Amino acid sequence: MAPSTSAPCPTSFRYWEQRERPAIRHLDRLARKVLRDGLFPSDEVARAFTADLHRGDPVAERFVAEVFGGEIGPKRGRALLERALTDGIDAVPEAPEAMRALFAEFETVPDWVRPDLVERGAAIWRRWGTMLFAMAGAETLEMYTEAAVTTPLSLAGGYAGDNALRRFLETTRFWIDVSAPEAILTPGSAGRATALKVRVMHVSVRGRVSGHREWDPERWGLPISQSYMVLTLLAGSLTPAAGLWPLGHPTTPAEIRALLHFQRYMGHLLGVRVDWYPDTIAEAARLMAMVGVARSYDAGEQGAELIRSYPAAFAPRPEQRGLARLRQSYNYRLHGAYTALFMLPTTRRRYDLPPAFPWLLIPLLRTPAVFAAELVRRTVPGAAGLYERVMVAHRENWYRSQMRGRQAQFDATGALRR
């Protein structure tokens, strides 16, 4: 039985019932014997997680409701937001109180922040280069089996069909901006501006989806809840650190802890407010294990559409010719192969995805060279800076080639697609 909570656990989050299965109980007992701790977080943390499946971002929600949804309107509200991000909130004397409250919270640095760890975590993202994009894009598909995740994305339409590449590239712009040197620690930086725009975008989607006839709060809680935002933060720290090891990108335990701290502060900028955010690798792993057994695989065709749309987004476009077409075909095949690396085989078999072989051999065959470069970076004086510059330049070049002159908008004020 689930312990009592301040809010009922959404019915599609099946943790309390699943953990009582004999096989799961056996694994938990085994973990306690071998690791001297359980497979899952404490009941207190689990209760907090399930309660926060109903919790959003009140400060930013007030801003969106009163500014974008009030007399000011989305167009002028967006202009005020851009001006405040560029020149500071004091440069916008006409800013309403809801906007001032948002910036007061956004610009407050919590006492727990360690700038050295934040920057160290950001540097790890920089050295991963485009592999972060590949890992994050493919691993996200694993959670597209869950309707609580896919319904907001499907209704908004950003990651479905022809829009999938555009929205994914906006996400990569976010990753690039927030991981630039000192980016999220420096007032007025592009990284902080991008983070606040993404926060407002999340609120805009949440507000429209939560009142939609297809959204069932009893089953799923709140769209883009606090709990699922934390899972997104862990998907940028613990899981890529583990997933990229076999491809030649070693990440030490101390570096993973720095990643967790970097993501926690980035979460603060994105409106994540939880007391149970994991401080250690073990806590993060137990949280991911809890979510893993809680899955209900209820996304149906919505999830299938999103999963198919991801690799298809990289397919050559009709107007591409010659070298550009070859390059795009390579991207398409490679991202299809990444789904085989970073999705569970049992999940991947359910969906119509591009064949992984022989393209899967490319990242595997280059692993020794990647590991050798990492070894040089760690041991040869001056090599780390050069390695980082090469990886940063590569990810910018990749992004520009995919965007073809377009700019990321981070705008979700349009109508839902159904």
Side-chain angles (χ1 to χ4, degrees):
M1 294 291 292
S4 61
T5 62
S6 57
C9 179
T11 57
S12 71
F13 193 81
R14 303 170 59 202
Y15 170 65
W16 301 109
E17 58 188 272
Q18 290 289 88
R19 76 171 192 172
E20 298 302 322
R21 290 172 51 201
I24 301 300
R25 290 169 64 89
H26 174 73
L27 287 175
D28 189 36
R29 287 194 298 268
L30 183 63
R32 291 179 186 279
K33 288 181 180 179
V34 175
L35 305 176
R36 298 180 181 273
D37 212 331
L39 185 64
F40 305 114
S42 68
D43 284 352
E44 181 183 8
V45 170
R47 286 194 299 269
F49 181 96
T50 56
D52 279 349
L53 287 168
H54 297 274
R55 185 181 173 209
D57 181 1
V59 174
E61 286 160 9
R62 178 190 168 201
F63 164 77
V64 170
E66 295 184 13
V67 177
F68 283 21
E71 292 183 3
I72 293 176
K75 185 175 182 180
R76 185 168 168 241
R78 178 99 177 174
L80 291 177
L81 183 66
E82 293 280 2
R83 181 147 52 101
L85 286 169
T86 302
D87 302 324
I89 189 65
D90 291 338
V92 189
E94 70 272 37
E97 176 56 32
M99 186 173 180
R100 293 188 180 278
L102 174 64
F103 272 80
E105 184 180 81
F106 180 76
E107 292 172 351
T108 298
V109 179
D111 294 338
W112 50 261
V113 172
R114 287 185 51 186
D116 59 320
L117 285 182
V118 172
E119 174 53 24
R120 189 179 185 190
I124 296 168
W125 269 22
R126 294 196 294 271
R127 81 165 189 248
W128 282 344
T130 58
M131 283 308 300
L132 172 64
F133 308 162
M135 171 77 197
E139 70 165 329
T140 301
L141 305 187
E142 189 65 40
M143 288 302 290
Y144 284 175
T145 61
E146 308 307 298
V149 175
T150 60
T151 302
L153 298 176
S154 178
L155 287 173
Y159 284 93
D162 294 338
N163 288 324
L165 181 61
R166 175 185 61 82
R167 185 51 60 86
F168 179 74
L169 292 174
E170 285 192 348
T171 305
T172 62
R173 184 72 259 169
F174 166 75
W175 293 329
I176 291 170
D177 287 349
V178 298
S179 63
E182 304 291 336
I184 62 174
L185 294 165
T186 305
S189 70
R192 290 175 67 87
T194 299
L196 189 55
K197 291 175 186 177
V198 169
R199 180 177 178 180
V200 170
M201 182 176 68
H202 286 167
V203 169
S204 297
V205 173
R206 181 185 299 128
R208 284 175 294 135
V209 170
S210 62
H212 194 276
R213 56 183 173 77
E214 291 187 25
W215 184 260
D216 186 342
E218 184 178 337
R219 287 179 63 191
W220 304 315
L222 190 71
I224 318 178
S225 67
Q226 287 282 325
S227 296
Y228 277 116
M229 287 195 291
V230 169
L231 294 183
T232 301
L233 300 178
L234 296 183
S237 50
L238 180 65
T239 50
L244 293 179
W245 248 102
L247 297 182
H249 296 272
T251 308
T252 67
E255 289 173 331
I256 297 175
R257 289 190 289 271
L259 277 168
L260 287 169
H261 194 81
F262 162 60
Q263 291 288 80
R264 184 182 182 188
Y265 182 53
M266 189 165 71
H268 165 78
L269 299 179
L270 291 170
V272 179
R273 300 285 181 274
V274 291
D275 297 327
W276 47 266
Y277 183 88
D279 291 321
T280 68
I281 298 171
E283 289 174 356
R286 286 193 288 269
L287 195 62
M288 297 299 284
M290 179 183 76
V291 174
V293 302
R295 292 166 63 181
S296 58
Y297 299 91
D298 59 346
E301 179 53 32
Q302 289 184 2
E305 180 191 26
L306 294 177
I307 290 171
R308 290 193 304 265
S309 294
Y310 172 72
F314 296 95
R317 295 179 282 273
E319 71 275 11
Q320 290 179 316
R321 296 289 185 272
L323 185 60
R325 189 171 185 84
L326 286 175
R327 183 178 184 180
Q328 195 64 24
S329 180
Y330 171 80
N331 272 313
Y332 169 63
R333 298 297 183 185
L334 200 56
H335 279 271
Y338 286 139
T339 64
L341 283 173
F342 302 130
M343 292 177 71
L344 292 174
T346 51
T347 304
R348 192 179 187 277
R349 283 197 296 268
R350 300 180 182 191
Y351 301 98
D352 182 18
L353 292 169
F357 192 82
W359 310 97
L360 186 62
L361 296 176
I362 295 173
L364 297 178
L365 289 174
R366 69 188 182 196
T367 295
V370 173
F371 186 81
E374 276 279 353
L375 186 62
V376 170
R377 183 190 67 80
R378 292 175 182 270
T379 57
V380 176
L386 175 61
Y387 185 90
E388 180 179 302
R389 289 192 294 274
V390 169
M391 299 304 283
V392 167
H394 176 59
R395 72 180 187 177
E396 282 284 2
N397 288 336
W398 182 88
Y399 173 80
R400 286 196 298 269
S401 72
Q402 295 294 322
M403 286 294 283
R404 297 181 296 155
R406 295 171 299 182
Q407 298 294 320
Q409 298 299 316
F410 304 106
D411 182 19
T413 58
L416 299 179
R417 64 172 180 158
R418 63 178 185 274

